[in-house]
Amino acid sequence: MYFRYSYILSLNLNYPITYIKGVSVQRATLLYTELGIKTCNDLLNFFPFRYIDKTQFYQIKDLQPNSSEVQIVGKITRVKSVAQKRGSRLVATFQDATGTMELVWFKGQKWIKDSLKVSEPYVVYGKLNHYNGNFSIPHPEMELVTEYKKKLQNKMQPVYPSTEKLTNSGVSNKLMRTYIQYLLQQVYDQIQESLSEEIIDDYKLMPKRDALLNVHFPKSQENLTKAEYRLKFEELFFIQLQLIRKKLINKTKIKGFVFENVGENFTDFYQNHLPFQLTNAQKRVIKEVRKDVATGAHMNRLLQGDVGSGKTIVAFLTMLLAIDNGFQATIMAPTEILASQHFNAISELVKDMNLNVDILTGSVKTKKRREIHQNLEDGTLHILIGTHALLEDKVKFNNLGIAIIDEQHRFGVAQRSKLWMKNKMPPHILVMTATPIPRTLAMSVYGDLDISVIDELPPGRKEIKTVHRFDSNRLSVFKFMRDEIEKGRQVYIVYPLIQESEAMDYKDLMDGYESVSREFPSPKYQISIVHGKMKPADKEFEMQRFVNGETQIMVATTVIEVGVNVPNASVMIIESSERFGLSQLHQLRGRVGRGADQSYCILLSSFKLSAEAKTRLKTMVETTDGFKIAEVDLKLRGPGNLMGTQQSGVLNLNIADVVKDSKILVAARNTSIAVLQEDSSLSKPENLNIKNTFVELSKDSKIWSNIS
Ligand code: ADP
Ligand code: MG
C-alpha cells in the first residue's frame, strides 16, 4: 500500500497495451493478431480512418440527396405509427425554420414514442436517407438542446479501422476511443517532439503532442487538417532522411572504381562507329554517368527511359568507359530472348572494334560454358551478357567494373548484390528500366539511387496509332493485318497469360493460333508461336524466324513483353486487352513503332468491360506518353501495385499517401536534404530531436528492411 503511487507513476510508451485500463490479456492478444498493435506506442500511432463530424449543423433546406451523416437542430411537431406490410414504423415529423423532414424508427417504437418530447428543441444526428423527394433519418441519435449544452462536446469522433473478430469480441469503436483517450491522458506529457524547431517554424507545423491528440480527438476540422499535415510530413521526412543518408554514406564510404580515362575504344566508337546521332537526352545521361564514374564514388544509378528511347547505346558507351580503364562489363537481362537481343545488338556495335563479347544463359552448352568461364577469369572477355546464369558461383570475373541490369523489376535486391560479391570492390551499377515511374514516386521508392531519364525518343519516329476494337470486329482486323503484311510488314498477336487460369489461357492461345493459321494459310503466310512452356531453344528458334523476317506473324504470350526489337514489325494486336494492366499494355505496344513505318496497336476486348478496364483502354488510345500512363496507373491501382515497387516497404505508409501527398513528399524530401547537408551525422544540438527519433525508428527495422 505504501508504494502505491510509485507503481502507477506513469505509463511508458514502450509498455504493452495491457497496462492500459480495461485492456485484458485476451483483448491485447486480439489487438495484436488482428491489427498488429502491441505497445502503447503502436496504439498511439493507430490512426482513425474517418471521423464523424459533429461540428457542422445543417438546415433542412440545405440537405442534399448525397449528404451522408448530418446534424440538425429542430422540433418534433407530430409522432405517428405507420402500419406496413412487415410490421410498423414510428414516424416523427421534424422541422426547423427552413423546412420539414422525418425521423423514423423500426425498433423499440413504444419506448421511443413515450420518451419523445413534442415541441422541444432537439439536436438530432444520423445517416440521411432520401426517398421520393423526402429526407429522413432512421434511428437518429437525439439529445435535447438543453442537455446538449450542458455537456462538453467531443465534436469530431474518430472511427478506427476494425475487423469482424474485434467487433464480435466486444472491442467496439467506442472501446477503442476509450483506450486511446486514457492513453493520451497518461502519456501526453511524455510525447517527445521529433522535429527541430527550425522545421516546425518553417512549415508552421503543429507540435507533435498536439498533432497526436488532434488526429485522435480533433477539436475542429481545421485542427485535424493541421494534425494530419504534421504527421504526414514527419512520416515522409524520416523515410527520406533514411534514404538520403544511405545514399550519402554510399557515396562517401563505398568507393567505386575510377574510370578516369576516356580512352581509345570510347573515342574510336564515338567518332567512327556511332550508327546514328545521339539524342540530347542520351548525351545528357552519358554525361551524368561519366561524372559518376570519374569521381571515385560508387555509381548506383537508375536509368529510366520509355521503350524505344535508346537505352542500349547508353549502356554500351558506359561499358566502353569501363573497358578503356582496364575493366570488364556485364549486362544482366531477365529472359533469354532479351539477353540474346542485347548480345546481337552489342555484337553489331563492336563489329569493327577489337573487343570480345559473349553470352551466357541457361541453355549454353557445358563446353562453351567452360570456355566462357576461362576467358572471363583471365580477362580476355571484355563484355559478358546473360541471364540469371551470370549469378552462378562458377562465373568469376577478372575485374568487373560495371554491371548493367536491364528491366530491374524482375530482379530482387539480393540477386543484384550477388553480382557484387564476386568482386574486390563493388562494380558500378546501372539499372535500366522501361517502366516509367512518376517522379514523386521514384523519389520515395528509389530515394537512394540517382536517377537519369531519357525523355526523348529518337527522331523520325511516327506516333503509334492505337485503337480499341471489340472481338466482333475481328474480321476487319484480319483484313487490316493482310494489308499490312502485303506491304511487307510483320504483326504481333499477344494473348494474356495469367497464372491462376493458366490452362484456360493456353487454350485461348492455341485456339487463337489455329484460327490465325486458318485465316493466314501457309505457304503464303508463315507464323511463329512463342510461349513460356516451350523449351528455350524452340522459343529462340521461333523468335529468330520472326526477327529474320521468315515469318510474318508472331503469336505469343507476354514473353515477348520486354525489350524485343524487330523494327519491321508494325502491328501489335492485343487479345483480351481488358485483362492486362496499363504498364503491361504500354510495354507491349512499345514492341512496334521501332522502324520508320507507321505502326498500329489494336486492343481487342469483349463487350463486358469494368469501369477500370474502360479507363485503361481509353488511356492507351489517347496517349503514348509512358509517364502519363504511369500516372493514370498510379491513380487506378495505388502505388503498391506499380511494377517495380512491390517489394518496397517504403510504400507501407501509416498516414501519408505518396500519390495524394506528393507535395508534402517533395517538401519533406527537400527538408531532409537540407538537414543532412548541414549536419550529415545529425550531431548538432538543434537536430537532437531528429536524431533521437531517427535512432528510435531505425531500431524498428521492419520499416527499413525492404529498402534496397
Ligand atoms: P530501349 O530503350 O527500348 O532499350 P533501344 O536501345 O533498343 O531502346 O533502341 C530502340 C531502337 O532505336 C534501336 O533500333 C536503336 O538502334 C534505335 N536508336 C536508339 N537511339 C537512337 C538515336 N539517337 N537515333 C536513331 N535511332 C536510335
Ligand atoms: Mg532495351
Side-chain angles (χ1 to χ4, degrees):
M1 272 306 171
Y2 287 141
F3 301 108
R4 186 157 178 225
Y5 282 99
S6 61
Y7 279 132
I8 58 164
L9 229 178
S10 69
L11 201 57
N12 186 303
L13 278 172
N14 295 321
Y15 286 177
I17 49 174
T18 42
Y19 280 74
I20 294 169
K21 210 173 115 194
V23 180
S24 62
V25 173
Q26 288 93 319
R27 279 184 182 162
T29 310
L30 208 56
L31 281 166
Y32 180 64
T33 53
E34 292 292 291
L35 301 171
I37 298 170
K38 197 171 194 174
T39 64
C40 290
N41 196 46
D42 293 340
L43 186 62
L44 195 61
N45 286 290
F46 183 67
F47 300 146
F49 73 99
R50 70 180 190 99
Y51 301 82
I52 294 170
D53 184 357
K54 294 193 173 177
T55 59
Q56 306 272 350
F57 284 93
Y58 284 80
Q59 298 200 307
I60 292 174
K61 75 165 165 44
D62 296 330
L63 293 178
Q64 299 293 329
N66 59 0
S67 311
S68 54
E69 281 141 350
V70 296
Q71 181 170 245
I72 306 165
V73 179
K75 290 175 187 169
I76 291 173
T77 54
R78 201 166 78 115
V79 183
K80 63 174 178 189
S81 284
V82 179
Q84 283 174 285
K85 264 191 202 142
R86 282 181 221 141
S88 65
R89 67 198 150 111
L90 183 70
V91 178
T93 308
F94 185 71
Q95 74 175 46
D96 67 3
T98 70
T100 303
M101 62 181 293
E102 290 181 342
L103 309 176
V104 184
W105 291 267
F106 303 95
K107 290 182 192 158
Q109 296 182 29
K110 166 132 186 23
W111 181 81
I112 289 161
K113 193 171 184 181
D114 292 344
S115 61
L116 287 178
K117 297 197 164 73
V118 175
S119 299
E120 292 212 30
Y122 274 101
V123 178
V124 309
Y125 176 87
K127 219 167 137 53
L128 192 67
N129 273 349
H130 180 251
Y131 186 71
N132 274 349
N134 297 315
F135 288 105
S136 66
I137 301 178
H139 288 269
E141 289 175 30
M142 310 198 47
E143 195 162 29
L144 286 167
V145 169
T146 47
E147 293 297 316
Y148 178 88
K149 282 188 176 153
K150 278 186 211 156
K151 277 200 211 152
L152 213 143
Q153 294 294 326
N154 218 335
K155 289 173 180 170
M156 302 242 327
Q157 287 177 4
V159 181
Y160 293 95
S162 188
T163 68
E164 217 180 313
K165 249 192 183 161
L166 279 170
T167 327
N168 291 343
S169 314
V171 185
S172 63
N173 192 53
K174 200 170 161 193
L175 202 57
M176 287 295 280
R177 283 206 300 252
T178 319
Y179 293 159
I180 293 171
Q181 198 156 21
Y182 175 85
L183 177 62
L184 267 165
Q185 279 164 2
Q186 298 290 312
V187 301
Y188 181 79
D189 293 329
Q190 292 175 46
I191 298 172
Q192 299 293 323
E193 182 49 66
S194 60
L195 296 172
S196 65
E197 243 171 74
E198 192 186 339
I199 296 177
I200 292 175
D201 283 353
D202 280 358
Y203 289 95
K204 302 192 174 49
L205 298 176
M206 189 180 254
K208 170 112 183 192
R209 277 176 199 171
D210 297 336
L212 284 170
L213 183 63
N214 273 286
V215 82
H216 288 292
F217 303 105
K219 298 234 162 53
S220 63
Q221 187 59 55
E222 197 195 344
N223 277 8
L224 174 62
T225 307
K226 279 193 176 155
E228 284 177 338
Y229 185 90
R230 149 78 211 215
L231 295 168
K232 286 173 178 179
F233 185 96
E234 170 172 344
E235 180 169 41
L236 295 167
F237 173 81
F238 281 104
I239 288 172
Q240 291 302 316
L241 198 70
Q242 169 78 9
L243 288 169
I244 290 158
R245 224 178 84 96
K246 191 167 167 184
K247 186 154 126 186
L248 287 178
I249 290 172
N250 287 353
K251 275 238 159 71
T252 51
K253 293 258 172 66
I254 304 183
K255 293 224 167 23
F257 297 118
V258 188
F259 301 165
E260 53 195 350
N261 306 320
V262 174
E264 203 184 326
N265 288 303
F266 188 96
T267 315
D268 177 37
F269 180 81
Y270 207 89
Q271 288 175 354
N272 306 320
H273 307 303
L274 260 186
F276 36 68
Q277 213 181 343
L278 297 180
T279 62
N280 287 330
Q282 285 169 324
K283 284 186 197 157
R284 189 186 63 234
V285 173
I286 289 162
K287 249 190 218 149
E288 287 166 353
V289 168
R290 268 176 63 176
K291 221 170 129 195
D292 280 358
V293 297
T295 56
H298 175 246
M299 176 170 81
N300 204 10
R301 189 170 278 281
L302 178 73
L303 171 55
Q304 276 190 283
D306 220 335
V307 275
S309 61
K311 295 184 290 296
T312 312
I313 192 93
V314 172
F316 180 66
L317 284 162
T318 305
M319 293 196 290
L320 291 184
L321 283 176
I323 294 165
D324 277 343
N325 287 273
F327 293 95
Q328 292 168 304
T330 188
I331 302 183
M332 184 157 80
T335 62
E336 293 222 23
I337 292 178
L338 195 53
S340 49
Q341 285 233 332
H342 275 306
F343 178 67
N344 295 340
I346 303 287
S347 301
E348 177 67 23
L349 290 171
V350 301
K351 69 178 189 296
D352 299 322
M353 301 171 76
N354 208 356
L355 292 176
N356 299 322
V357 184
D358 222 323
I359 177 166
L360 182 66
T361 66
S363 55
V364 170
K365 299 268 164 23
T366 317
K367 183 159 167 264
K368 173 75 185 164
R369 194 177 282 256
R370 287 217 187 97
E371 186 190 316
I372 291 176
H373 292 165
Q374 188 55 45
N375 295 341
L376 200 60
E377 243 174 297
D378 66 25
T380 47
L381 189 56
H382 299 104
I383 297 175
L384 181 60
I385 295 161
T387 55
H388 291 85
L390 292 174
L391 300 174
E392 283 165 17
D393 291 334
K394 282 194 182 134
V395 181
K396 294 194 191 87
F397 289 86
N398 182 305
N399 55 354
L400 179 61
I402 180 148
I404 294 172
I405 299 170
D406 198 3
E407 301 299 345
Q408 120 288 347
H409 59 266
R410 308 252 170 144
F411 294 106
V413 173
Q415 285 177 316
R416 243 197 271 166
S417 62
K418 243 185 147 182
L419 271 177
W420 288 42
M421 307 295 181
K422 297 173 184 291
N423 238 21
K424 299 160 221 146
M425 251 197 330
H428 293 298
I429 302 279
L430 183 68
V431 176
M432 302 196 294
T433 175
T435 309
I437 298 166
R439 202 156 171 78
T440 52
L441 189 63
M443 269 202 265
S444 66
V445 180
Y446 302 113
D448 59 337
L449 300 186
D450 290 301
I451 299 177
S452 290
V453 183
I454 304 185
D455 49 7
E456 182 187 354
L457 291 180
R461 295 266 169 86
K462 292 201 180 77
E463 179 132 321
I464 301 165
K465 286 192 178 140
T466 304
V467 293
H468 171 213
R469 293 282 181 267
F470 293 111
D471 291 336
S472 49
N473 287 98
R474 195 174 302 270
L475 283 182
S476 67
V477 173
F478 282 146
K479 173 163 188 325
F480 180 75
M481 281 172 65
R482 237 183 311 263
D483 293 347
E484 282 295 301
I485 292 171
E486 208 57 51
K487 289 188 221 155
R489 304 286 98 80
Q490 288 164 285
V491 179
Y492 290 104
I493 306 179
V494 177
Y495 286 80
L497 194 128
I498 290 151
Q499 229 85 56
E500 306 97 71
S501 53
E502 205 182 78
M504 275 298 290
D505 286 342
Y506 274 108
K507 188 169 179 307
D508 286 354
L509 175 77
M510 294 326 279
D511 288 352
Y513 176 68
E514 255 168 44
S515 79
V516 174
S517 305
R518 246 177 281 126
E519 204 65 36
F520 297 88
S522 69
K524 183 165 185 210
Y525 299 99
Q526 296 294 323
I527 305 173
S528 289
I529 178 162
V530 171
H531 59 75
K533 286 204 170 152
M534 291 164 70
K535 290 209 191 85
D538 297 341
K539 250 194 284 189
E540 185 60 34
F541 175 77
E542 288 286 311
M543 200 58 224
Q544 215 53 56
R545 292 207 307 149
F546 189 67
V547 173
N548 299 341
E550 293 158 26
T551 59
Q552 298 94 344
I553 301 171
M554 159 68 78
V555 174
T557 57
T558 46
V559 290
I560 60 139
E561 182 189 334
V562 239
V564 177
N565 190 23
V566 182
N568 189 48
S570 66
V571 183
M572 167 62 67
I573 296 169
I574 305 178
E575 293 276 353
S576 304
S577 58
E578 72 272 31
R579 290 175 59 194
F580 289 87
L582 257 179
S583 68
Q584 224 178 359
L585 290 173
H586 178 63
Q587 293 277 341
L588 286 170
R589 179 169 58 185
R591 298 304 110 220
V592 295
R594 303 192 144 223
D597 311 297
Q598 176 63 55
S599 290
Y600 304 88
C601 175
I602 301 172
L603 305 167
L604 284 169
S605 84
S606 66
F607 274 114
K608 272 213 313 224
L609 292 177
S610 68
E612 219 190 280
K614 271 185 201 150
T615 309
R616 286 198 298 265
L617 298 182
K618 186 163 164 273
T619 306
M620 286 297 294
V621 171
E622 279 171 4
T623 182
T624 51
D625 180 335
F627 282 91
K628 271 191 201 143
I629 289 171
E631 295 279 356
V632 175
D633 201 23
L634 194 57
K635 286 203 183 107
L636 285 179
R637 302 197 299 158
N641 291 314
L642 264 200
M643 244 192 203
T645 63
Q646 285 95 334
Q647 315 106 311
S648 169
V650 188
L651 296 167
N652 294 327
L653 300 176
N654 190 25
I655 184 164
D657 174 332
V658 287
V659 184
K660 293 190 194 119
D661 301 320
S662 58
K663 281 209 181 107
I664 309 180
L665 173 61
V666 173
R669 178 176 172 83
N670 291 340
T671 309
S672 62
I673 291 172
V675 168
L676 288 173
Q677 265 169 356
E678 297 222 330
D679 184 13
S680 63
S681 59
L682 299 175
S683 51
K684 291 191 179 169
E686 60 266 33
N687 289 328
L688 186 63
N689 290 344
I690 297 177
K691 180 171 190 165
N692 288 341
T693 312
F694 187 73
V695 169
E696 200 58 38
L697 286 171
S698 306
K699 279 190 212 150
D700 189 0
S701 59
K702 75 173 176 243
I703 302 180
W704 311 119
S705 61
N706 289 325
I707 302 170
S708 59

